[in-house]
Amino acid sequence: MKKLANKTAIITGAASGMGAQHGIRFIEEGAKVVFTDTNKEKGEQVVKKLGKNALFIPHDVSNPKDWKKVVDMTEEKFGPVSILINNAGVAIPNGGTLTLENTEFEGYKKIIEINQFGTLFGMQAVLPSLRKAGGGSIINVSSVGGLLGMFGHYAYNASKFAIRGMTKTAAIELGEENIRVNSVHPGMIETSMIKASIEKNPEIWKDQLKGIPLHRMGKPEEVSSLMVFLASDESSYCTGAEFIIDGGKTCEDK
Ligand SMILES: NC(=O)c1ccc[n+]([C@@H]2O[C@H](COP(=O)([O-])OP(=O)(O)OC[C@H]3O[C@@H](n4cnc5c(N)ncnc54)[C@H](O)[C@@H]3O)[C@@H](O)[C@H]2O)c1
C-alpha cells in the first residue's frame, strides 16, 4: 500500500519551490492534495497535470477567512484533512538583507503576518477537520534560521523561531487527540527564494557552500522525502520534534 493512501493533505505556498514538489510527491504516495498559494496562475499550472487527486485553491495564509474557505472546500472535495504542511513563507524581497537600524515596521510586520500568523491560523483552521479524521500530522516549515541567527533577517529569523516554539506547544496540547505536530528546518535548498539571494550576494553564498559538510545545496525532492515520513504513519511516535535537513550546516561550530 502507498504510504499516504486514504489521506487528505493541505499544502500552503504550493505554487512553486518546495511546496509544489511536496504536493507532487504526496500524490505519487497516494494522497489527495489541496495546493494553496497567493499565486493563482502558477498554482493552477502545477495541478494541471496531476489528475483528480489534486486541487488548487487561491489562498493568503495571513487571512483567517481565507483559511476557513480552504478547509471547507477541501472537506467538500476530499473529506476530512489529515495532513497540513504550513509551508508558505517569505523573506525580504529580492534576496535583500536589513541591519537592525534599517529594519522598518511595515516590512517586518508583513513577514511575521505570513510566516508566523499564517502558521498559527493554519493550525487553528484545520483542527476540527483533523478531529473528524481521527487524528493527523501538522508539519510546520521553519528553517535553520529557526535554530540560529541569520545576518540581516530580523523578521524572518523571529518568525522561524516562533514557528519552532508554537510547534512544541501544539504538540503538547494535541498529543492526546492523536494529532502530531513537528517542525522542519531546511538549510539551503535550491528554490527561487534562495536563488534571488545568491544572485545578489554570490561571494557570500560561495563561502556558505564551503561551510556545509555535504558541500552543496539541497534539492526540494530531498525535503519531500522527509515530509512523506512525517505525514505518514511511519513517524507515529514523532511529535514536538525539530527535523533538520541542511547537509550538516548546523552541526559544526563555525
Ligand atoms: N529555500 C530555502 O533555502 C529555504 C530554507 C529554509 C526554509 N525555507 C522555507 O521553506 C518554505 C518554502 O520556501 P521555498 O524555498 O520553496 O520558497 P518559494 O518562494 O519557492 O515558495 C514559497 C511560496 O509561498 C507563496 N506565498 C507567499 N506568500 C504567501 C501567502 N501570504 N499565502 C500563501 N502563499 C504565499 C509564494 O507565492 C510561493 O509560491 C518557506 O517557508 C521558507 O521560509 C526555505
Side-chain angles (χ1 to χ4, degrees):
M1 190 158 111
K2 292 187 174 178
K3 288 181 183 156
L4 301 179
N6 305 318
K7 293 191 191 286
T8 294
I10 295 174
I11 305 177
T12 67
S16 67
M18 284 186 257
Q21 194 54 49
H22 303 334
I24 292 165
R25 178 71 191 279
F26 274 30
I27 286 180
E28 285 167 11
E29 298 289 353
K32 297 180 171 64
V33 181
V34 169
F35 295 66
T36 86
D37 205 289
T38 43
N39 193 327
K40 186 166 183 280
E41 202 185 319
K42 273 195 182 171
E44 280 172 353
Q45 196 119 33
V46 169
V47 300
K48 215 156 126 191
K49 290 176 238 140
L50 296 177
K52 62 177 183 8
N53 288 338
L55 174 70
F56 173 74
I57 304 176
H59 175 212
D60 176 353
V61 295
S62 65
N63 178 344
K65 282 192 197 130
D66 259 22
W67 267 109
K68 179 161 176 20
K69 178 191 76 182
V70 167
V71 174
D72 288 350
M73 285 174 75
T74 304
E75 286 195 338
E76 203 175 298
K77 173 107 176 151
F78 295 138
V81 180
S82 43
I83 303 159
L84 167 66
I85 306 185
N86 273 316
N87 168 77
V90 290
I92 298 167
N94 306 317
T97 55
L98 289 169
T99 60
L100 185 56
E101 283 165 312
N102 292 325
T103 295
E104 46 75 40
F105 178 69
E106 283 308 324
Y108 188 99
K109 187 164 150 264
K110 184 84 202 150
I111 292 175
I112 297 291
E113 279 172 354
I114 296 172
N115 297 3
Q116 180 177 334
F117 295 176
T119 299
L120 176 71
F121 296 156
M123 291 198 289
Q124 288 176 322
V126 297
L127 186 54
S129 200
L130 288 169
R131 285 181 173 139
K132 279 185 216 161
S137 172
I138 298 175
I139 306 164
N140 292 328
V141 179
S142 177
S143 165
V144 295
L147 302 165
L148 303 171
M150 278 177 83
F151 180 85
H153 284 283
Y154 286 90
Y156 187 81
N157 214 191
S159 69
K160 295 299 186 179
F161 266 77
I163 289 171
R164 175 176 164 218
M166 68 172 101
T167 296
K168 294 188 192 304
T169 299
I172 294 166
E173 182 182 333
L174 303 177
E176 67 181 352
E177 296 189 78
N178 192 31
I179 298 169
R180 299 180 295 106
V181 193
N182 291 287
S183 58
V184 167
H185 301 260
M188 285 174 71
I189 311 296
E190 261 185 275
T191 68
S192 57
M193 178 178 274
I194 209 146
K195 277 181 194 149
S197 184
I198 292 170
E199 279 160 21
K200 199 150 191 154
N201 312 295
E203 290 310 313
I204 294 178
W205 285 103
K206 235 185 254 170
D207 280 354
Q208 291 267 353
L209 281 185
K210 278 188 217 145
I212 299 173
L214 292 182
H215 292 290
R216 65 172 179 87
M217 282 193 265
K219 295 184 185 354
E221 293 87 322
E222 294 176 293
V223 183
S224 299
S225 296
L226 174 58
M227 292 295 177
V228 170
F229 169 71
L230 289 175
S232 75
D233 298 338
E234 288 188 359
S235 58
S236 51
Y237 201 53
C238 300
T239 196
E242 295 154 15
F243 289 82
I244 303 174
I245 177 157
D246 69 347
K249 185 168 166 50
T250 49
C251 70
E252 204 175 354
D253 181 15
K254 269 200 177 172

